[in-house]
Amino acid sequence: MTRFTPAELEAARDRLVPDVVADGLRVLFCGINPGLMSAATGHHFARPGNRFWPVLHLSGFTPRQLRPAEQRELLTYGLGITNVVARATARADELSADEYREGGRQLALKVARLRPKWLAVVGVTAYRAAFDDRKARVGPQERVIAGTRVWVLPNPSGLNAHWTARTMAEEFARLRAAAED
């Protein structure tokens, strides 16, 4: 893995991490916002210790564990990745309520354009803030965006100690099964 100095990571705040999207995906995964490592590399969920890629594989979405640099391979499985907020930060708590709301509005427009079968927001707190749904829980939501069903998944950050890789993979697998129906 490439090593970055603190100054290089700080400079990455201004970089955008491109979406990995296509029309008609089975699942469009949506992170909160890029971390500095993701911004520095241009790859989603790039920080070592983030469990997104291992959990995606453990849940059966991919036949092997992909590396962040292989993110475009997701498209071959009918999967994609975007973010609620495009701005890179060291921590999600650096985002404002207005950024989350505007991110939710932009995400809804993106979903209406791309029409994935499922939108999977990775992080219940981000979902609540972006869509002003204070009662949301992990799992399928009642909300439908332009015909796309919504599922909230646990945040795979290594800081989320409430969920293990195994319990996250079980929740991701529930979504996988729903997306195959």
Side-chain angles (χ1 to χ4, degrees):
M1 163 165 248
T2 305
R3 302 231 186 260
F4 295 95
T5 67
E8 289 170 323
L9 287 175
E10 192 59 33
R13 286 184 188 271
D14 298 328
R15 295 189 195 133
L16 292 178
V17 178
D19 288 344
V20 177
V21 297
D23 292 338
L25 296 168
R26 278 189 312 136
V27 179
L28 176 59
F29 291 96
C30 181
I32 299 169
N33 75 308
L36 297 182
M37 182 67 73
S38 288
T41 64
H43 304 128
H44 294 270
F45 301 104
R47 184 174 180 83
N50 189 294
R51 299 171 290 181
F52 178 80
W53 298 103
V55 166
L56 201 63
H57 171 62
L58 289 170
S59 66
F61 270 112
T62 60
R64 65 178 179 83
Q65 183 176 321
L66 300 176
R67 295 183 318 275
E70 297 174 304
Q71 65 187 10
R72 297 214 47 89
E73 191 172 319
L74 289 174
L75 296 173
T76 65
Y77 306 116
L79 309 173
I81 305 178
T82 189
N83 287 294
V84 174
V85 176
R87 183 171 73 92
T89 60
R91 295 178 325 276
D93 65 5
E94 295 177 39
L95 300 173
S96 71
D98 287 342
E99 285 178 291
Y100 275 113
R101 281 190 295 275
E102 177 60 18
R105 192 179 75 72
Q106 292 298 321
L107 180 58
L109 292 172
K110 190 178 298 185
V111 166
R113 181 174 47 86
L114 297 171
R115 299 219 177 259
K117 184 174 181 179
W118 285 93
L119 170 66
V121 179
V122 182
V124 69
T125 303
Y127 177 80
R128 289 174 181 162
F131 292 102
D132 196 31
D133 186 348
R134 300 289 174 235
K135 295 182 180 180
R137 301 279 182 255
V138 168
Q141 306 300 303
E142 290 185 24
R143 178 184 307 272
V144 174
I145 301 171
T148 295
R149 301 278 318 272
V150 178
W151 197 293
V152 175
L153 292 167
N155 184 339
S157 166
L159 299 175
N160 184 1
H162 298 296
W163 290 80
T164 66
R166 183 185 59 76
T167 57
M168 271 191 261
E170 289 169 0
E171 188 62 31
F172 274 58
R174 287 182 57 218
L175 168 60
R176 182 186 46 76
E180 290 175 351
D181 288 344

